[in-house]
Amino acid sequence: MTGRLLGVGVGPGDPELLTMKAVRIINESPVIAYVSAGGRPSMARQIAAQCLAPGQLEINLTLPMQPIPEIAQAAYEEGAARIGAELERGRDVAVLCEGDPFIYGSFAQLLDLLGERYPTEVVPGIASFTAAAAAVRMPLVGRSQALTVLPATLPADELAARLARADAAVILKLGRHFAKVREVVEELGLLDRTIYVEHASAARERVVPLAALAVHEAPYFSLLLLPADRRS
Ligand SMILES: C[S@@+](CC[C@H](N)C(=O)[O-])C[C@H]1O[C@@H](n2cnc3c(N)ncnc32)[C@H](O)[C@@H]1O
């Protein structure tokens, strides 16, 4: 019998936002894996720290500073080989994922590499943008309105086209794309509707109207919310 590959969402930052299932699985799994990128410690591991048990083997899959696809793929393959070796020994491996594993999650790469060979389970987690909406205390969508989820990595014209059509939107992965996104939002006349949220649900959570934010880059754990107009 091989072990199970377990993709576990650990939520956006507040350890109280892990599900009971995530807490149990993390605590019971003999092997814990997580991704750390760009030299930063794994946020998912920090969020789940209280659930870890003594004696667990930890596999830290480190990605390079620069997002070079070939190097990242090699790192995933090396990590998948280490995880695969544990699964072959019959040991379950819980892969800790920030937020939800299937929202821009690196678990997708591990699933591609291992999912067909090993029994796999996914535990959903609270996503960053629902935690951000809670922080702002504004509904994102209601009635027949639609929510658009966008990565800031899109080219400006593509972002503009999608935002122009959206009832409500969230924009993730701001980082060095922040200035470009701000410009697009301003050009569309959406600046006053847009809210910036950093480290949603964590102790260092920060909520600022985008119009009041004078920076060129944003930290990794930040996003923009454009809640729908409740009167439309
Ligand atoms: C690779 S995506 C992972 C998203 C995650 N799987 C989720 O369910 O939200 C990383 C991006 O999510 C956003 N993010 C994750 N956690 C966040 C938080 N606590 N506060 C604000 N943004 C967050 C940021 O935009 C960050 O660049």
Side-chain angles (χ1 to χ4, degrees), residues 9 11-14 40 43 47 97-106 125-132 150 152 171-175 196-202 205-206 219-224:
D14 179 351
R40 292 183 299 264
M43 181 61 83
I47 296 169
C97 311
E98 293 149 13
D100 183 274
F102 283 163
I103 303 284
Y104 300 124
S106 43
I126 294 177
S128 54
F129 53 87
T130 56
L150 296 168
I171 309 177
L172 309 189
K173 303 192 189 190
L174 292 177
Y196 169 87
V197 183
E198 194 177 296
H199 288 285
S201 86
E205 176 181 281
R206 189 170 165 230
Y220 181 75
F221 288 100
S222 66
L223 55 78
L224 295 178

Side-chain angles (χ1 to χ4, degrees), residues 10 13 15 18 26 32 43-53 96:
V10 300
L18 271 92
I26 294 167
I32 304 294
M43 181 61 83
R45 191 201 180 280
Q46 282 178 33
I47 296 169
Q50 293 170 22
C51 316
L52 298 176
L96 308 180

Side-chain angles (χ1 to χ4, degrees), residues 8-230:
V8 185
V10 300
D14 179 351
E16 286 194 358
L17 292 181
L18 271 92
T19 62
M20 292 169 74
K21 186 163 187 174
V23 171
R24 178 181 58 75
I25 285 183
I26 294 167
N27 188 260
E28 288 176 359
S29 296
V31 184
I32 304 294
Y34 42 82
V35 172
S36 61
R40 292 183 299 264
S42 158
M43 181 61 83
R45 191 201 180 280
Q46 282 178 33
I47 296 169
Q50 293 170 22
C51 316
L52 298 176
Q56 286 173 318
L57 172 71
E58 294 193 26
I59 297 178
N60 182 2
L61 203 163
T62 50
L63 295 183
M65 195 78 80
Q66 298 298 330
I68 301 165
E70 298 76 28
I71 300 182
Q73 183 59 23
Y76 279 118
E77 283 171 13
E78 200 234 310
R82 288 167 67 195
I83 292 170
E86 296 301 324
L87 295 170
E88 285 296 332
R89 295 176 61 198
R91 282 151 56 97
D92 288 349
V93 179
V95 181
L96 308 180
C97 311
E98 293 149 13
D100 183 274
F102 283 163
I103 303 284
Y104 300 124
S106 43
F107 183 68
Q109 273 80 358
L110 295 173
L111 190 63
D112 287 346
L113 292 164
L114 297 165
E116 282 181 11
R117 276 184 286 151
Y118 301 102
T120 301
E121 283 179 34
V122 177
V123 180
I126 294 177
S128 54
F129 53 87
T130 56
V136 172
R137 285 176 281 278
M138 281 177 86
L140 281 174
V141 273
R143 299 183 298 278
S144 325
Q145 294 164 329
L147 175 65
T148 303
V149 180
L150 296 168
T153 47
L154 288 175
D157 56 346
E158 181 76 10
L159 271 174
R162 291 179 189 245
L163 276 178
R165 282 203 311 270
D167 293 330
V170 295
I171 309 177
L172 309 189
K173 303 192 189 190
L174 292 177
R176 62 194 165 84
H177 302 281
F178 178 81
K180 170 189 71 183
V181 176
R182 192 186 196 285
E183 217 174 291
V184 168
V185 169
E186 193 163 8
E187 275 169 13
L188 290 171
L190 297 171
L191 199 54
D192 290 339
R193 229 182 82 193
T194 307
I195 304 152
Y196 169 87
V197 183
E198 194 177 296
H199 288 285
S201 86
R204 49 188 160 157
E205 176 181 281
R206 189 170 165 230
V207 176
V208 188
L210 182 59
L213 200 66
V215 293
H216 198 72
E217 283 203 15
Y220 181 75
F221 288 100
S222 66
L223 55 78
L224 295 178
L225 293 182
L226 290 90
D229 183 344
R230 298 191 68 192

